[in-house]
Amino acid sequence: MILRRLALGFGLFCGVVASQLPEFAQQYRQRLGGALDELTALVDQFASEAQSAGLDTKGAIARLEADGEQLARDRGRSMAQTVARQQRLAGQQKRMQEAGPFTRLIVLAETYDPRIARRAWGDYEPAVPTTGEGFAAAGAGALAGYGVLRLVGAPFRRRRRELAPA
């Protein structure tokens, strides 16, 4: 009896936590868009500077990385990382835009950027789930939490039945 109530309470707790996943994903997507805008501006500015020097972006990065000065080599490596991150985030944003309401959570889990996720989590404020996605996530979380505790408690229930007088 106590285990059943504990499982129900844990299931409800898991439901409330899971109901927040769509809201976190939405806040993450907003931050992703902002980060991508800034990275795109940096990459575009660098491409413009490279073009005025008669180079493309890859050529300019290669020239910087091969330069004799440490500062130029560091700038080349930094710019290569910036371009790669911008491309990775653009791909993630495209996948999220193409994904449906429920699959966006899967895309987030598969492709999240740790820096963006950390910042989104730092500013995250819980919200009442008012979308179908939020209600479904809450229900799935509640069932999963309830089920996990019922499974964990199953050996104890059997043992109690065996010990109970007939």
Side-chain angles (χ1 to χ4, degrees):
M1 186 72 157
I2 292 175
L3 188 58
R4 193 172 296 163
R5 287 183 183 159
L6 184 62
L8 179 62
F10 186 70
L12 290 174
F13 171 76
C14 289
V16 169
V17 170
S19 74
Q20 297 304 301
L21 291 175
E23 177 61 23
F24 178 78
Q26 189 259 348
Q27 290 183 24
Y28 177 90
R29 285 191 317 272
Q30 290 176 347
R31 282 196 172 265
L32 172 66
L36 189 53
D37 289 346
E38 288 300 312
L39 288 172
T40 300
L42 286 171
V43 170
D44 288 350
Q45 180 183 0
F46 184 79
S48 175
E49 292 168 1
Q51 186 178 24
S52 68
L55 300 166
D56 64 357
T57 301
K58 286 184 180 181
I61 290 172
R63 183 176 284 178
L64 286 170
E65 289 178 331
D67 195 281
E69 291 291 321
Q70 182 67 39
L71 179 62
R73 286 193 310 269
D74 290 346
R75 175 69 172 142
R77 276 191 293 274
S78 171
M79 217 39 234
Q81 291 170 352
T82 299
V83 168
R85 184 166 186 244
Q86 187 256 351
Q87 291 171 346
R88 189 175 63 253
L89 294 182
Q92 181 185 28
Q93 185 180 51
K94 183 178 183 213
R95 281 188 66 194
M96 285 191 154
Q97 288 170 343
E98 293 171 351
F102 297 101
T103 53
R104 280 192 296 249
L105 297 175
I106 295 168
V107 171
L108 174 63
E110 291 174 345
T111 63
Y112 77 95
D113 181 85
R115 284 187 260 173
I116 294 173
R118 200 173 16 251
R119 289 184 181 120
W121 181 250
D123 291 337
Y124 178 73
E125 294 181 14
V128 176
T130 58
T131 63
E133 186 182 18
F135 287 121
L143 287 174
Y146 180 78
V148 165
L149 273 189
R150 292 290 291 173
L151 286 173
V152 168
F156 301 106
R157 283 192 306 277
R158 286 189 195 121
R159 190 173 197 189
R160 236 183 328 163
R161 283 186 212 134
E162 291 170 3
L163 295 174

